[in-house]
């Protein structure tokens, strides 16, 4: 029996309601009931009261059971609907049941109410159960279908995967084969790599050995280069192609007194003569732009502050790619050369002058002779001939000096030795010197001493000494020639009492072209006489020299080996 049954009663007759309620209570049902009479009340109760069972009169003044049933069916199809009415006829009852009304009960048979209610409720419960079961079944069926679909899908997937697996297995096999082949290749290549490695290591060792050798050779060649740079007599350095000096040999430091910390450019500015700086920078830059080197001359200051002329020579060092690697520079001291050049220039000018003077005189004598050639009685004639001979003699002497110098320079001064007594030879030669009665030549000393020499050349020396005494010591009226024997040498001295020679000049007297009064205005001469004398004595293994004291006179002397 259902408990707390909610019964909606559609009935307009209160007595019938009472009867119904009484019958319901009698049946022992636990219930609550709501009684409605109109369509609105019925619809409200359906929604708000929520009945489990509806008991409806068949016909009401404004409403009826068929309409109420249709309303109920819309939203509450499972709530049992029992018509409780008077007589409505068999056909109507059948029609109502066909349409879905749960049951019919005649008001005069109310005692069957509880049975009908229970049956209706049971039917409803069974129907509900059926519906639930059907729904469950339907859901299960749907689930089954879904599961089936899933299975089919999974199956298909599986098949696909199996197919993929087959392909994969095939691929794997191919890949395995390829791997095996690659492995074999790797092994063979590894062998090759090993071989190459061995060759490489061998090559490496060879290269290392070569590098060691080359480095050693390089160090050696650099050492050689350095020692070469240190050995040469010049100042030497190396500079980059941009002109930066990277090495100086010791001679640079010795010459300039600089230390190695001295800035190159500053050093250069300090050493080069102010007047040569601009030119030397220009020359330096010009040479660096060439590829074959060049040279120029500058004056460079020595440690003692004296400037000396230097020849700067720059040579490029070319590498194996024909590119200039660096420059090697040398500075050669050409001071002596410069002086010699200067002397030579001076000499040419003096020689021209010296030659011109007697030639002019000779020319004048000849012109005068020409004028008086038709007058042989003229007293001028012999004088002019003497004068012409004198001039010719001077020219001849000068040319002789020049020739002898040239021969001496070339080492071809011809010497023809013979045995003779010095005193005799010198006495004879002095007879030939014309002193015009202004000077006396006195010869004294060893009259015996003999020598083995070129008598003409020895005469030449004596004549030169005497002529010099006449020329450069004119106030000394007596010229003394002294012959002596000192150990195994014979010494011949030509002594005058002239003005003497300053001690500073003495050491250069026998140099070529040297003249004390180089202006040449006072005395004629080429500065060659004493030089030739010295060369002649050298050939005889003797010595030559001068002793002089200012204001007292000079003694020019030479020695010759004595012939015993
Ligand atoms: P030069 O041909 O010019 O005379 P030398 O070689 O004979 O040249 O002499 C060189 C220089 O020595 C002369 O210019 C002169 O100044 C100096 N000299 C030579 N002999 C004497 C002397 N007896 N007294 C002073 N000076 C002399």
């Amino acid at each position: 029996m259902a408990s707390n049954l909610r019964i909606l009663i559609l009935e307009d007759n209160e007595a019938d309601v009472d009867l119904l309620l009484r019958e319901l209570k009698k049946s022992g049902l636990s219930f609550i009931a709501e009684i409605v009479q109109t369509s609105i009340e019925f619809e409200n109760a359906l929604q708000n009261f929520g009945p489990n069972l509806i008991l409806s009169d068949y016909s009401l003044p404004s409403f009826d059971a068929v309409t109420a049933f249709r309303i109920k069916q819309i939203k509450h199809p499972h709530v049992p609907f029992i018509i409780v009415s008077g007589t409505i006829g068999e056909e109507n009852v059948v029609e109502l049941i066909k349409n879905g009304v749960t049951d019919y009960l005649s008001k005069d048979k109310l005692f069957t109410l509880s049975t009908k209610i229970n049956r209706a409720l049971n039917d409803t419960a069974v129907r509900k159960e059926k519906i639930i079961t059907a729904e469950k079944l339907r859901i299960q069926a749907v689930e089954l279908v879904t599961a089936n679909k899933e299975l089919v899908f999974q199956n298909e997937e599986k098949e696909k995967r199996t197919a993929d697996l087959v392909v994969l297995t095939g691929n794997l096999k191919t890949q395995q084969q390829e791997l095996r082949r690659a492995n074999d290749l790797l092994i063979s290549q590894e062998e090759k790599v090993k071989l190459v490695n061995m060759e490489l290591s061998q090559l490496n060792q060879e290269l290392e050995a070569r590098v060691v050798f080359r480095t050693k050779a390089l160090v050696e060649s650099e050492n050689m280069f350095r020692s070469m740079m240190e050995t040469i007599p010049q100042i030497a350095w190396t500079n980059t192609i941009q002109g930066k000096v990277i090495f100086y040999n010791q001679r640079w430091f010795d010459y300039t007194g600089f230390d190695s910390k001295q800035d190159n450019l500053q050093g250069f500015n300090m050493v080069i003569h102010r007047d040569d700086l601009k030119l030397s920078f220009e020359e330096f830059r010009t040479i660096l732009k060439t590829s074959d080197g060049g040279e120029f001359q500058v004056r460079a200051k020595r440690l003692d502050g004296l400037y000396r002329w230097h020849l700067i020579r720059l040579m490029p060092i070319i590498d194996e790619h024909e590119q200039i690697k660096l420059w090697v520079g040398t500075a050669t001291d050409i001071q002596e050369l410069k002086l010699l050049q200067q002397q030579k220039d001076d000499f040419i000018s003096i020689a021209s002058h010296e030659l011109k003077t007697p030639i002019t005189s000779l020319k004048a004598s000849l012109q005068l002779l020409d004028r008086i050639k038709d007058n042989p009685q003229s007293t001028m004639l012999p004088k002019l001939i003497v004068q012409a001979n004198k001039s010719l003699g001077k020219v001849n002497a000068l040319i002789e000096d020049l020739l002898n110098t040239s021969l001496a320079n070339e080492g071809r001064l011809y010497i023809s030795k013979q045995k003779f007594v010095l005193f005799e030879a010198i006495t004879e030669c002095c007879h030939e010197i014309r002193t015009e009665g202004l000077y006396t030549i006195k010869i004294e000393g060893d009259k015996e001493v003999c020598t083995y020499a070129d008598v003409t050349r020895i005469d030449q020396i004596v004549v030169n000494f005497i002529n010099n005494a006449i020329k450069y010591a004119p106030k000394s009226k007596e010229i003394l020639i002294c012959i002596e024997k000192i150990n195994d040498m014979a010494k011949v001295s030509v002594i005058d009492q002239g003005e003497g020679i300053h001690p500073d000049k003495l050491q250069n007297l026998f140099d070529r072209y040297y003249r004390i009064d180089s202006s040449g205005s006072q005395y004629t001469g080429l500065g060659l006489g004493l030089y030739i004398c010295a060369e002649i004595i050298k050939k005889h293994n003797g010595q030559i020299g001068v002793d002089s004291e200012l204001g007292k006179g000079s003694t020019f002397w030479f020695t010759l080996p004595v012939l015993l």
Side-chain angles (χ1 to χ4, degrees), residues 337-557:
L337 201 77
K338 274 266 178 190
L339 285 178
L340 278 175
Q341 260 172 2
Q342 186 60 46
Q343 280 176 358
K344 198 172 146 195
D345 291 345
D346 292 349
F347 171 73
I348 289 169
S349 123
I350 292 166
S352 316
H353 176 76
E354 291 296 305
L355 282 167
K356 214 174 159 194
T357 312
I359 286 172
T360 312
S361 164
L362 181 62
K363 198 175 162 192
S365 301
L366 288 173
Q367 277 170 348
L368 283 172
L369 277 171
D370 187 47
R371 270 189 227 159
I372 59 166
K373 66 178 183 292
D374 300 328
N375 183 12
Q377 307 306 320
S378 172
T379 51
M380 285 289 285
L381 196 71
K383 282 184 189 164
L384 285 171
I385 291 171
V386 168
Q387 181 61 39
N389 270 327
K390 226 173 154 185
S391 299
L392 200 65
K394 275 188 179 172
V395 174
N396 201 38
L398 286 168
I399 292 171
E400 273 291 304
D401 273 0
L402 284 171
L403 275 174
N404 282 328
T405 306
S406 155
L407 287 173
N409 288 346
E410 292 162 19
R412 291 195 296 119
L413 200 65
Y414 183 65
I415 300 292
S416 167
K417 287 184 184 175
Q418 66 181 83
K419 180 186 168 190
F420 63 93
V421 178
L422 264 172
F423 196 91
E424 287 169 10
I426 290 170
T427 308
E428 203 176 317
C429 126
C430 286
H431 284 316
E432 287 168 24
I433 299 173
R434 291 189 186 165
T435 60
E436 315 290 342
L438 292 171
Y439 303 93
T440 47
I441 300 168
K442 213 172 135 191
I443 308 167
E444 60 183 38
D446 196 323
K447 293 184 177 152
E448 313 289 322
V449 65
C450 224
T451 188
Y452 184 71
D454 186 326
V455 68
T456 319
R457 295 288 183 195
I458 299 304
D459 282 354
Q460 191 183 337
I461 296 172
V462 174
V463 170
N464 199 6
F465 281 1
I466 293 169
N467 280 338
N468 275 354
I470 293 169
K471 226 179 357 173
Y472 301 112
K475 286 176 192 161
S476 166
K477 298 300 172 193
E478 186 186 88
I479 297 159
L480 176 65
I481 299 175
C482 185
I483 302 165
E484 42 191 334
K485 180 176 172 285
I486 303 167
N487 299 326
D488 51 356
M489 296 300 277
K491 184 176 182 183
V492 179
S493 307
V494 177
I495 305 156
D496 67 62
Q497 278 102 43
E499 286 176 9
I501 302 163
H502 194 282
D504 290 350
K505 315 279 180 182
L506 290 176
Q507 58 179 6
N508 299 316
L509 277 187
F510 296 90
D511 291 349
R512 206 168 16 158
Y513 313 128
Y514 187 81
R515 307 188 74 227
I516 292 177
D517 180 15
S518 56
S519 64
S521 55
Q522 199 179 353
Y523 307 113
T524 58
L526 296 173
L528 291 175
L530 291 179
Y531 166 72
I532 296 166
C533 295
E535 288 299 309
I536 293 168
I537 292 300
K538 220 192 279 174
K539 284 260 175 188
H540 286 86
N541 299 322
Q543 283 189 322
I544 194 163
V546 58
D547 305 315
S548 187
E549 207 175 324
L550 277 176
K552 285 199 173 168
S554 309
T555 300
F556 282 85
W557 56 264

